[in-house]
Each structure stands twice: as structure tokens, then as C-alpha cells.
Amino acid sequence: MTRALVLFAHPCPESFSAALDARVRAALDARGWEVDACDLYAEGFDPVLSRAERRAYHDAGANVASVRGQVDRLRAAEALVMVFPVWNFGFPAILKGFLDRVFLPGVSFRLEAGRVRPALTNVRRLAAVATYGGTRLRAALAGDPPRRVVTRAVRHACRPQRTRYLALYDMNRADAGRRRAFLDRVGRAMEGL
């Protein structure tokens, strides 16, 4: 049995993002994955990095004290899937806070002779499922920060065998047919994860 941590970051259970989260979890479950569903809003995750946490940031071991549960879940995962909307060309604050507070030295990376080395090598599959209000061109002109963070920074921390970034752009004008097609695309991608 392989374990997947699915991070979901949207406050509204009736959202299209929630439908995507449900599709991701159902597809992984159908393929035999043990799914650890982490709804950051429902769990009340605090995205704010405190002064004490920042001061302890480089103290590997002590730095995980306030996020031990999330760190344990991340370390137990063989796949990491993030489901989120892109707001103002970035992650929802709660997901950005998760990355700030949980992807710590000694957890997601190690510093060796001044160089960053991956530490989440237990994560063999990495995927993101995102929706954008703007077009692909607008996101590209803004540098598409979420895509870059996932496919570069998070990928570097894990060095997964497979990385997928699935995005529905121009969500504000996506009709039911486009949304349904994207749900199907996401389902197929998770079946092959």
C-alpha cells in the first residue's frame, strides 16, 4: 500500500476546487493508494509563521515542534498532491503558510556545505491541480509563480520520479463542458500517478 498526502486549500466546500479534490481522492483510492486527505481550512491550519518559529527555523529538530503532525504526515507520504485555486497569481495564503511552516530545514531540505540538498525523497510522486481565473498568457506574463514553486522548489525538495502540474486557466469563463473535461483529465492523471 502506498500513501498519498492530498493537500486541499479552498475555504468553500461547494467550489470547483472541492470537486477537483474529491476527484483526486477518488481516483487515488480506486488505484489502491492510502489517501491522507488534508483539508487545510477544515483542519484549521494556522498559516502564520510566528516569531519563535522563525527564530528556530534553522534549528533542525526544534523547528518542527509546532507543526509535528503535519511533518509526520508529509514524511509518511510517497505521493504529494496539492489542489488549490490560484489567487492574485499565487497560492492561497493557507497553502503558502503550509509551505513556509512545514517545508523546513531537516524536513524538506538539508544544508550541506552551503548547498541545498533534498530531504523529502520519500515523496516519489508529486502533482498539483490548480485553477486560474486568468488565461495561460496572463499567468505566463506574471511568471506563473505557483507552477514555478511546484515544478522547481517543491520538486527539488522531493526529487520525485514523476511530477504533474495540471491547470485549468481562464476558470472565470470556463463553461460546464470545460470544467467536466478538466475533471476527467485530473481523474486520468491521478489514475496514472
Side-chain angles (χ1 to χ4, degrees), residues 89-119:
F89 299 106
F91 294 112
I94 201 163
L95 180 56
K96 177 64 169 84
F98 184 94
L99 296 173
D100 290 345
R101 293 188 65 215
V102 180
F103 278 61
L104 298 163
V107 175
S108 67
F109 66 94
R110 297 180 317 276
L111 290 174
E112 295 176 359
R115 300 183 75 105
V116 175
R117 300 288 184 218

Side-chain angles (χ1 to χ4, degrees), residues 2 19 39-40 57-58 75-76 98 114 132 139 163 168 173 175 191:
T2 51
D39 180 334
L40 294 170
Y57 184 80
H58 291 287
R75 285 179 170 160
F98 184 94
Y132 291 69
T163 302
L168 177 61
R173 292 186 285 188
D175 62 14
E191 288 169 5

Side-chain angles (χ1 to χ4, degrees), residues 2 10 13 19 26 28 41 46 63 113 116 119 141 149 157 168-169 176:
T2 51
H10 197 291
L28 291 173
Y41 282 95
D46 182 359
N63 61 0
V116 175
L141 291 173
V149 169
L168 177 61
Y169 292 93

Side-chain angles (χ1 to χ4, degrees), residues 13-79:
E14 73 280 4
S15 67
F16 184 63
S17 288
L20 291 167
D21 177 57
R23 180 64 60 95
V24 164
R25 289 183 288 109
L28 291 173
D29 185 59
R31 294 292 293 180
W33 287 85
E34 178 186 341
V35 177
D36 178 1
C38 179
D39 180 334
L40 294 170
Y41 282 95
E43 293 185 15
F45 180 77
D46 182 359
V48 178
L49 181 69
S50 72
R51 182 178 299 150
E53 287 172 320
R54 180 60 191 126
R55 288 182 174 147
Y57 184 80
H58 291 287
D59 186 359
N63 61 0
V64 302
S66 61
V67 289
R68 168 67 63 198
Q70 290 84 8
V71 167
D72 290 346
R73 292 167 81 175
L74 187 58
R75 285 179 170 160
E78 295 174 62

Side-chain angles (χ1 to χ4, degrees), residues 94-178:
I94 201 163
L95 180 56
K96 177 64 169 84
F98 184 94
L99 296 173
D100 290 345
R101 293 188 65 215
V102 180
F103 278 61
L104 298 163
V107 175
S108 67
F109 66 94
R110 297 180 317 276
L111 290 174
E112 295 176 359
R115 300 183 75 105
V116 175
R117 300 288 184 218
L120 274 178
T121 54
N122 54 290
V123 175
R124 305 308 305 146
R125 303 282 192 269
L126 173 63
V129 178
T131 58
Y132 291 69
T135 64
R136 176 78 192 258
L137 176 61
R138 285 183 61 209
L141 291 173
D144 204 346
R147 180 183 290 268
R148 285 182 176 213
V149 169
V150 171
T151 62
R152 294 180 183 179
V154 176
R155 183 172 175 264
H156 179 71
C158 305
R159 295 291 171 100
Q161 295 169 349
R162 185 173 300 148
T163 302
R164 298 292 311 264
Y165 191 92
L166 305 162
L168 177 61
Y169 292 93
D170 207 12
M171 173 68 194
N172 296 339
R173 292 186 285 188
D175 62 14
R178 267 189 72 216

